[in-house]
Amino acid sequence: MAETLAAFIFCALMSGSAIFGIKLRGWLSEEHLSEHTLEAIRLVTSLLVTFAALVLSLQLSSVKGAFDKAYRDRNADAAGLAQLDECLRSYGAEVGPIRLDLRSYTAGVIASTWPGEPKPAGVSYPDTTAMAREGADPSLGALILRIGRAINGLAPADTFHANLAAECRALYQRVQERRWAVIEDVRGPVSPLFTSVMTFWLMLVFLSFGLQIPRRRLAAIVLAIGIVSISTVMFVIADLETHYGGLFGISSASMRDALASMSR
């Protein structure tokens, strides 16, 4: 929703800049609209367009790379949780409470990260009403730490269980590393200040377009197509920065598959 609003605001700013440019052309005298003056404006506009296109492409590439990393980290996190549960399952029935906590943690992550989707059924988990969609949550953090302490406290009676306990501890460490990787993915590669500066540059571009185009219906349609196209690019950038929402949000399928594997 926020990314859609941002796209509409951006479209309104670009449209306003273009309209102001058209109005400004009507206010200027003919001596300011000579062919030499317009040629100079075209040269400056070409420079701005080239620079803006380069920065936009780099920004889109950076945001897409960050999104792909967040997608891989989330899938790795889900796989790690499923592997840890499988190791605990192999250890025996005495680790049943630990596995129950692991299921509660996984269900809590699903419910807090994808609040608009159906809640996990058949397992209790912490209240996720006030939890943020991204970042670290104290209650879920405390739950995963309790799981780690319980695993470290295992007292194996034979070599087989000792080896399994060591494997489970190693898997738990990897789960923690992947969890923190997912948490750190919330830090987007594009700052709001950079986006504001980029928006200002593009407003100048469309202002110059408004100064140059003739007052013809076809020219207005072409200018509108340009505004919509650039606004769509900004929408995609804003949407990709919202990793767990919007049109391109990361799916909960991997986490739900992990929870289903734990419940078997």
Side-chain angles (χ1 to χ4, degrees), residues 234-248:
M234 296 303 290
F235 168 79
V236 171
I237 290 173
D239 194 89
L240 288 175
E241 284 193 290
T242 309
H243 295 159
Y244 297 99
L247 186 63
F248 304 106

Side-chain angles (χ1 to χ4, degrees), residues 59-72 189 240 243:
Q59 186 176 4
L60 181 59
S61 176
S62 177
V63 171
K64 181 62 167 62
F67 179 86
D68 290 341
K69 181 179 182 300
Y71 179 81
R72 290 192 299 268
L240 288 175
H243 295 159

Side-chain angles (χ1 to χ4, degrees), residues 4-208:
T4 304
L5 178 61
F8 276 116
I9 292 174
F10 185 86
C11 185
L13 290 173
M14 298 304 104
S15 300
S17 299
I19 293 172
F20 179 72
I22 295 172
K23 293 290 186 183
L24 183 59
R25 176 167 179 161
W27 297 335
L28 294 174
S29 61
E30 286 299 324
E31 65 182 25
H32 294 292
L33 298 175
S34 65
E35 186 61 31
H36 293 295
T37 303
L38 291 178
E39 184 63 28
I41 293 175
R42 292 189 191 101
L43 289 174
V44 174
T45 304
S46 299
L47 178 64
L48 286 173
V49 168
T50 302
F51 187 63
L54 177 61
V55 174
L56 265 180
S57 63
L58 291 175
Q59 186 176 4
L60 181 59
S61 176
S62 177
V63 171
K64 181 62 167 62
F67 179 86
D68 290 341
K69 181 179 182 300
Y71 179 81
R72 290 192 299 268
D73 287 342
R74 175 57 73 186
N75 287 343
D77 184 40
L81 291 169
Q83 289 172 344
L84 178 57
D85 179 76
E86 188 64 32
C87 181
L88 293 171
R89 188 202 304 268
S90 299
Y91 192 90
E94 60 267 34
V95 296
I98 305 177
R99 293 188 63 213
L100 184 60
D101 281 345
L102 189 60
R103 286 197 296 273
S104 297
Y105 170 79
T106 306
V109 170
I110 294 172
S112 62
T113 307
W114 295 275
E117 298 185 6
K119 305 294 184 184
V123 58
S124 61
Y125 51 87
D127 182 21
T128 61
T129 305
M131 289 185 187
R133 175 173 283 185
E134 295 178 295
D137 180 79
S139 57
L140 291 177
L143 183 56
I144 195 69
L145 286 176
R146 186 171 74 189
I147 294 170
R149 287 194 293 267
I151 292 175
N152 288 331
L154 292 176
D158 51 48
T159 303
F160 174 73
H161 285 88
N163 291 335
L164 277 178
E167 181 182 349
C168 290
R169 293 187 186 103
L171 288 172
Y172 172 78
Q173 290 300 321
R174 285 201 288 272
V175 163
Q176 279 285 48
E177 292 171 2
R178 289 165 178 167
R179 171 177 174 265
W180 280 107
V182 170
I183 291 172
E184 289 300 318
D185 286 336
V186 72
R187 305 180 187 276
V190 181
S191 69
L193 178 60
F194 183 84
T195 302
S196 300
V197 172
M198 186 68 207
T199 301
F200 178 70
W201 291 339
L202 290 170
M203 288 175 66
L204 293 179
V205 169
F206 282 98
L207 173 64
S208 66

